[in-house]
């Protein structure tokens, strides 16, 4: 059954500027600017005023109407990214051979050495806009930060997948680099 009309209203906080032109959304805030295209989804994206954004679907079936909330959430994540930013913390897990991690290329890639005693060097490049640092507070921890949630989480997933144990029983060999904490960047005032 088709729904004649469905809409979602997204409030825009103060200090954030949202521009929409032919379903290409640009969000600008204190931490920078993010642009995403939603041309693959057939829906109206209209800026009502400086504080509200309307997303609407006409004559949509169930799957098409479900895209409303998805696009709303993606734009909301962009707004949070340019105001607060995203942070993923990853911990090194090893039983015998200590994992050695070096940040290379001006915080643009990670080099992993001595993973399960291997001599091979694992190099994982970070996606655009993702910065990585070694934690000063916690031993064996790296911190990934950035404005784009998709890029930060995908970079963390790339690091985790690079350190999967192969040709061994994964129930026994739990070595790797795993996400231990994720969320928004904590400010000094919180």
């Amino acid at each position: 059954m088709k729904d004649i009309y469905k809409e979602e209203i997204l409030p825009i906080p103060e200090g954030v500027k949202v521009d929409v032109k032919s379903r290409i959304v640009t969000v600008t805030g204190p931490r920078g600017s993010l642009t995403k295209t939603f041309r693959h989804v057939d829906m109206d994206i209209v800026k009502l005023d400086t504080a509200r954004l309307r997303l609407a679907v006409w004559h949509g079936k169930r799957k098409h109407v479900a895209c409303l909330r998805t696009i709303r959430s993606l734009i909301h994540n962009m707004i949070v990214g340019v105001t607060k930013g995203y942070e993923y913390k990853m911990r090194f897990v090893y039983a015998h051979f200590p994992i050695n991690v070096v940040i290379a290329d001006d915080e643009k890639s990670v080099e992993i050495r001595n993973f399960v005693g291997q001599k091979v060097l694992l190099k994982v490049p970070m996606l655009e806009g993702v910065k990585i640092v070694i934690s000063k507070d916690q031993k064996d921890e790296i911190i990934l930060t950035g404005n784009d949630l998709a890029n930060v989480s995908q970079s963390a997933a790339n690091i985790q997948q690079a350190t999967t144990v192969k040709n061994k029983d994964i129930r026994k060999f739990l070595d790797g680099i795993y996400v231990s904490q994720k969320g928004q960047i904590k400010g000094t005032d919180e």
Side-chain angles (χ1 to χ4, degrees):
M1 191 174 107
K2 286 188 174 184
D3 288 318
I4 301 296
Y5 178 77
K6 287 282 186 183
E7 74 173 11
E8 287 274 342
I9 303 291
L10 176 66
I12 302 169
E14 283 186 36
V16 176
K17 185 172 171 252
V18 178
D19 293 322
V20 180
K21 184 165 186 192
S22 64
R23 286 184 296 210
I24 297 173
V25 179
T26 304
V27 179
T28 308
R31 289 181 51 92
S33 179
L34 289 174
T35 301
K36 230 175 215 148
T37 179
F38 300 111
R39 300 191 83 165
H40 61 284
V41 181
D42 186 24
M43 73 170 51
D44 296 340
I45 303 175
V46 179
K47 190 171 177 184
L48 297 175
D49 49 45
T50 58
R52 291 185 306 158
L53 195 68
R54 183 182 71 207
L55 299 98
V57 167
W58 292 86
H59 303 290
K61 292 188 178 177
R62 185 173 175 212
K63 300 259 182 183
H64 192 195
V65 170
C67 292
L68 266 177
R69 187 68 177 198
T70 302
I71 302 298
R72 182 188 184 279
S73 296
L74 288 172
I75 297 171
H76 176 71
N77 288 343
M78 291 167 67
I79 291 171
V80 171
V82 297
T83 53
K84 297 178 183 172
Y86 290 100
E87 176 180 74
Y88 273 56
K89 293 184 178 180
M90 301 185 79
R91 296 286 304 271
F92 312 159
V93 177
Y94 51 85
H96 186 271
F97 296 102
I99 299 172
N100 185 1
V101 173
V102 176
I103 295 168
D105 303 330
D106 297 329
E107 300 176 349
K108 297 291 185 206
S109 69
V110 175
E111 293 178 351
I112 303 163
R113 291 183 174 86
N114 200 30
F115 175 67
V116 199
Q118 298 172 350
K119 298 289 184 214
V120 69
L121 169 75
L122 304 171
K123 187 168 183 174
V124 182
M126 295 294 103
L127 295 176
E128 182 184 346
V130 180
K131 288 201 162 195
I132 183 164
V133 293
I134 294 177
S135 177
K136 292 171 180 50
D137 301 333
Q138 181 72 43
K139 180 181 180 263
D140 293 340
E141 183 178 65
I142 55 176
I143 301 171
L144 286 77
T145 56
N147 293 346
D148 192 356
L149 176 63
N151 285 356
V152 175
S153 58
Q154 185 61 53
S155 295
N158 290 344
I159 292 172
Q160 182 172 336
Q161 287 182 341
T163 59
T164 53
V165 179
K166 295 171 181 68
N167 301 324
K168 303 253 185 322
D169 186 0
I170 58 171
R171 296 170 295 182
K172 182 70 177 167
F173 292 86
L174 300 172
D175 296 31
I177 302 176
Y178 299 104
V179 174
S180 62
Q181 195 176 6
K182 58 187 174 181
Q184 298 166 4
I185 295 175
K186 302 281 189 279
T188 55
D189 56 337
E190 292 178 28

